Amino acid sequence: KKMEGNKRKRQGENKGGSRSKRSKYEDDEDDDELDDDGLDSGSEELDEVDGFVAEYNEEQQIVVWVQKKFEPNPIEHPTVKMEPENSSSQVIISNDGYTVRNEKGYRMARASYGCTQGGWYWEAKIIAPENRVVSAKTPEPHWRLGWSTNNGELQAPVGCDKHSYAYRDIDGVKVHQGKRKAYGKGFQPGDTIGFYIYLPEENLVSSQAPDAKPVTNKRTGKPEIDLEVCPGSKIAFFVNGESNGVAFDSIFKGMYYPAVSMYFGGEVQVNFGPTFAYPPQTEWEYRPVSEIASIEIAKWTKKQEAAEELLKKEQAEKQARDQNQQVGTGV
């Protein structure tokens, strides 16, 4: 019953009701005072924390923690777009999936497909709200953009925890686990920001047991899994095609999605390729993120064909057995 109540509560939030989860970034863009592990202990609910969702096990009659996972059907998602099901319910995503806006405190939106190996690139044009009068109730817009796994906190900006990495418009700093560090130049409306990530083959190999269970952080009381570093990995950001250099290296292993977060009217228009407004000026090899969809469709088609072949084989074997039984019984 408790889980059903929590479910109804989340459904109410998704409809934009008055019980919508409040982010600690609702009022102060500059508020990055997080817990040691980069989490905001005040913005989480009991049944959804640090990339895990509480589910009720009917058989054992206990609540167990299950890692959140977004797996799009390639046939239903034939192109890479910003995905509502992989984003905070408060952000506004256009019907075509390429424009994202947020009216209040920071919330995150992620794309429908993520990267696991190789070099990948996408870009986003920064757009300011029209006719915005800055006041205490409507502060100026801001942006934190980058990459996030599906465990990144959606009710906060990109870079607020250990699951995402961001580039911030103010002073051009980089942000990870809520910690800001000097990096490049700031950006503003009209600029186009480029996002590069490289994940070596080691990103697909884990030394953890496949059934690794989350452990409870003694200080926060929340479940979490130790993350593995991926040697040789890196993230870099570009402004109008010009590189600011490597922002992060040896990032945590995982599948990384293009991710955006905006503050009070901030808006972006994303471009996953294959043609870019500002091709990155770099010698690094990369592929446009748009190609991930075709790769996933090919994988899905191959699996479907293999499943159909297996079904045909099983049907043929069953038919042969039935015929043998009929011959044996003289029917």
Side-chain angles (χ1 to χ4, degrees), residues 51-326:
F52 293 87
V53 177
E55 293 186 359
Y56 186 71
N57 186 307
E58 293 284 356
E59 183 177 346
Q60 300 180 21
Q61 295 187 347
I62 60 173
V63 174
V64 295
W65 291 101
V66 179
Q67 195 165 15
K68 290 188 293 186
K69 200 171 186 180
F70 173 72
E71 295 181 328
N73 182 325
I75 302 304
E76 297 176 356
H77 299 76
T79 58
V80 181
K81 298 180 179 182
M82 300 307 293
E83 174 54 53
E85 293 183 29
N86 203 23
S87 305
S88 167
S89 60
Q90 287 88 355
V91 300
I92 302 169
I93 300 176
S94 62
N95 291 333
D96 65 7
Y98 297 117
T99 302
V100 187
R101 186 176 77 255
N102 184 42
E103 292 297 342
K104 293 189 177 181
Y106 273 119
R107 298 295 193 280
M108 187 194 299
R110 291 192 289 255
S112 51
Y113 290 99
C115 315
T116 56
Q117 183 180 359
W120 299 92
Y121 190 84
W122 65 285
E123 65 181 16
K125 184 176 181 179
I126 308 302
I127 302 173
E130 297 182 359
N131 303 319
R132 171 62 64 93
V133 178
V134 176
S135 68
K137 291 186 178 180
T138 56
E140 62 181 9
H142 291 290
W143 297 260
R144 300 191 193 188
L145 317 170
W147 299 90
S148 172
T149 70
N150 60 10
N151 289 328
E153 173 56 54
L154 295 176
Q155 303 297 329
V158 182
C160 87
D161 56 28
K162 57 189 174 184
H163 306 291
S164 61
Y165 300 82
Y167 182 29
R168 184 188 189 213
D169 65 314
I170 301 177
D171 300 327
V173 299
K174 58 183 180 180
V175 190
H176 178 57
Q177 298 192 60
K179 296 178 176 63
R180 302 191 296 268
K181 294 184 179 180
Y183 169 58
K185 60 181 180 180
F187 55 88
Q188 59 188 355
D191 287 333
T192 295
I193 311 305
F195 307 86
Y196 172 84
I197 192 170
Y198 175 72
L199 297 165
E201 187 175 351
E202 288 76 10
N203 185 53
L204 303 175
V205 180
S206 174
S207 61
Q208 292 180 337
D211 58 348
K213 300 293 190 301
V215 296
T216 301
N217 184 305
K218 294 181 179 179
R219 181 173 56 78
T220 65
K222 299 175 183 179
E224 56 187 40
I225 280 182
D226 289 334
L227 299 180
E228 296 180 72
V229 168
C230 183
S233 58
K234 59 187 173 184
I235 287 175
F237 302 109
F238 295 70
V239 179
N240 300 325
E242 296 183 6
S243 175
N244 282 309
V246 175
F248 304 100
D249 55 16
S250 295
I251 66 176
F252 291 125
K253 291 182 178 180
M255 175 181 286
Y256 283 88
Y257 297 80
V260 301
S261 58
M262 288 74 63
Y263 180 82
F264 275 90
E267 183 174 325
V268 294
Q269 187 175 47
V270 300
N271 176 14
F272 299 119
T275 302
F276 294 111
Y278 292 91
Q281 300 173 22
T282 178
E283 295 180 353
W284 297 327
E285 294 184 359
Y286 67 89
R287 300 171 71 177
V289 167
S290 60
E291 291 187 6
I292 298 177
S294 58
I295 293 173
E296 293 302 318
I297 290 175
K299 289 180 181 178
W300 187 88
T301 302
K302 188 174 181 179
K303 287 182 180 179
Q304 290 297 109
E305 292 175 347
E308 291 175 2
E309 287 298 321
L310 179 60
L311 179 60
K312 289 180 182 179
K313 181 179 179 181
E314 292 175 346
Q315 291 174 340
E317 291 175 349
K318 183 179 182 302
Q319 185 177 11
R321 287 196 301 270
D322 292 343
Q323 290 177 347
N324 291 336
Q325 289 177 354
Q326 292 175 0

